[in-house]
Amino acid sequence: MTTNIIELHDVSKSIHDHVILHDLNLEVRNGEFLTLLGPSGCGKTTLLRLISGFENPTTGKIFINGKNVDGLPPHKRHVHTVFQSYALFPHMTVFENVAFGLRCRKLPKAEIATRVAEVLKIVKLEKFAQRKPDQLSGGQQQRVAVARAVVNRPLVLLLDEPLSSLDYRLRKTMQIELKQLQRKLGITFIFVTHDQEEALSMSDRVVVMHEGGIEQVGTPRQVYEQPQNLTVANFIGEANIFDSEILSIEGKQLGVNILGKPRNAKSSRSFELGQKVHILVRPEDLRVWKQVDVDDSKDMLPGTVEEVIYKGTTVDLMVRLSNNQIVAATEFFDEDDDKLEYAIGEPVFATWVPGWEVVLPHETL
Ligand SMILES: Nc1ncnc2c1ncn2[C@@H]1O[C@H](COP(=O)(O)OP(=O)(O)O)[C@@H](O)[C@H]1O
Ligand SMILES: [Mg+2]
């Protein structure tokens, strides 16, 4: 049985009649790495502020560790936040920065020393205890900020875009470090990012947010491979989207047509005959064949090569289809890699393995 460390029941937040968050229902499992993912302005920080108690919800209830926290001040919630700016005290050493919260709580000196040493060891900063923040690298400052929060032994650690100011390589390293640290500490992390790759690579589960609402909650694999709707599909990864219509239904097997060509598709959702749908195909699932190599093209989509982008491990192709729609395909090298020599303007067919598409009900965005 999994227990929920945090539950949100029908939570909403309005500021001066402006709805910032609406109808939020969410269960955060004890010990998980949960990521709030969504574009800037969708309400991620506001949601963290409701959980930490710096703001109160307009409607709904929040439970932390089984207890309704309505009216409970931040310092009594056992929830700590790591901010993007780290907010370290510049005049204090690493040790003093980490000890600060414990000193405020007037813990015995010896206990403070033990706990700070323990946490500095976990974040691999035991040799840096006497340094000041400006004598540390960006990644080390980040670790001090985390150490300062976890030394209080919170039930939940909230991290609001903590990696967004780091350069690309440090960011990649810190992603792995934070994930390992979370596993080692066993504390629930609620991590915020607008970067979908970061969310997919770090999380046990991802909460996809859009305009103040939750669009989907699932494992990285679920939100990528089975997006709930077009918003999720477009925000996570790249997707080629075709307009189509359901022509036949036999259990999970669907007959659809794409650019006038009949195709088979598969979905565990239910659809009606004649229903308008979107067919979504990820670039890595779209295959491109030179027309001269194809004998039977009855369910393939004709087009011409618009652009060829060499990426080292892959070649990305942009293909202009007969209706002028441009689709993206990622081709992987194999032993026969001259197959990947494409000329601009070359006639090709685009296709994919039936069943590898995602069928979504039609939406007007
Ligand atoms: N104190 C406030 N007063 C008015 N509007 C606010 C306030 N705080 C946030 N907002 C608005 O709420 C929306 C969500 O903001 P925020 O939670 O910071 O989003 P995110 O962290 O996802 O970028 C934004 O449109 C923002 O302008
Ligand atoms: Mg924010």
Side-chain angles (χ1 to χ4, degrees), residues 207-236:
V207 178
V208 185
M209 294 180 63
H210 179 71
E211 293 180 355
I214 293 177
E215 298 284 334
Q216 187 171 1
V217 182
T219 62
R221 204 162 169 171
Q222 283 167 341
V223 296
Y224 185 79
E225 293 183 5
Q226 297 150 34
Q228 193 61 36
N229 52 41
L230 271 191
T231 306
V232 177
N234 277 320
F235 192 68
I236 300 182

Side-chain angles (χ1 to χ4, degrees), residues 15-16 18 20-21 38-47 55 160-161 192:
I15 298 178
H16 317 302
H18 177 60
I20 293 175
L21 295 170
S40 175
C42 74
K44 305 180 296 296
T45 297
T46 307
L47 177 51
E55 302 259 7
D160 196 355
E161 312 224 16
V192 165

Side-chain angles (χ1 to χ4, degrees), residues 11-210:
V11 167
S12 73
K13 176 71 180 173
S14 301
I15 298 178
H16 317 302
D17 292 343
H18 177 60
V19 180
I20 293 175
L21 295 170
H22 58 86
D23 310 311
L24 299 189
N25 286 286
L26 180 66
E27 297 180 345
V28 183
R29 296 172 189 158
N30 199 4
E32 78 175 327
F33 196 119
L34 185 80
T35 297
L36 308 181
L37 171 67
S40 175
C42 74
K44 305 180 296 296
T45 297
T46 307
L47 177 51
L48 289 192
R49 291 175 63 80
L50 294 180
I51 293 171
S52 58
F54 291 110
E55 302 259 7
N56 293 312
T58 308
T59 63
K61 290 191 174 72
I62 298 176
F63 293 83
I64 299 179
N65 211 16
K67 197 170 132 196
N68 185 344
V69 294
D70 190 17
L72 200 67
H75 65 276
K76 292 199 172 150
R77 295 193 177 200
H78 303 289
V79 168
H80 280 260
T81 307
V82 176
F83 298 97
Q84 184 185 333
S85 58
Y86 316 151
L88 301 178
F89 301 115
H91 57 288
M92 290 187 189
T93 64
V94 168
F95 183 94
E96 289 164 340
N97 262 286
V98 177
F100 185 78
L102 304 179
R103 284 196 177 137
C104 289
R105 285 162 51 195
K106 306 218 169 12
L107 263 60
K109 236 179 157 175
E111 186 182 344
I112 293 176
T114 318
R115 277 172 67 168
V116 172
E118 203 176 85
V119 172
L120 287 182
K121 191 161 177 231
I122 292 175
V123 299
K124 295 183 277 185
L125 283 177
E126 64 268 48
K127 293 202 184 79
F128 299 84
Q130 294 315 317
R131 293 223 190 153
K132 299 266 175 71
D134 65 0
Q135 298 168 309
L136 300 174
S137 70
Q140 288 165 338
Q141 290 179 25
Q142 168 77 65
R143 284 191 245 143
V144 178
V146 172
R148 198 173 53 169
V150 301
V151 78
N152 299 294
R153 299 186 182 152
L155 292 171
V156 180
L157 194 65
L158 308 179
L159 301 104
D160 196 355
E161 312 224 16
L163 307 181
S164 57
S165 58
L166 305 178
D167 69 49
Y168 181 79
R169 286 194 51 187
L170 183 56
R171 188 177 175 135
K172 292 279 145 198
T173 314
M174 289 307 296
Q175 287 174 2
I176 299 167
E177 254 188 41
L178 269 182
K179 177 78 200 128
Q180 290 175 338
L181 185 67
Q182 188 267 341
R183 224 180 266 137
K184 197 147 64 173
L185 292 165
I187 295 175
T188 309
F189 274 31
I190 303 182
F191 181 91
V192 165
T193 183
H194 60 266
D195 178 335
Q196 45 106 5
E197 194 188 329
E198 188 162 282
L200 294 183
S201 60
M202 295 180 76
S203 321
D204 294 318
R205 293 194 307 152
V206 180
V207 178
V208 185
M209 294 180 63
H210 179 71

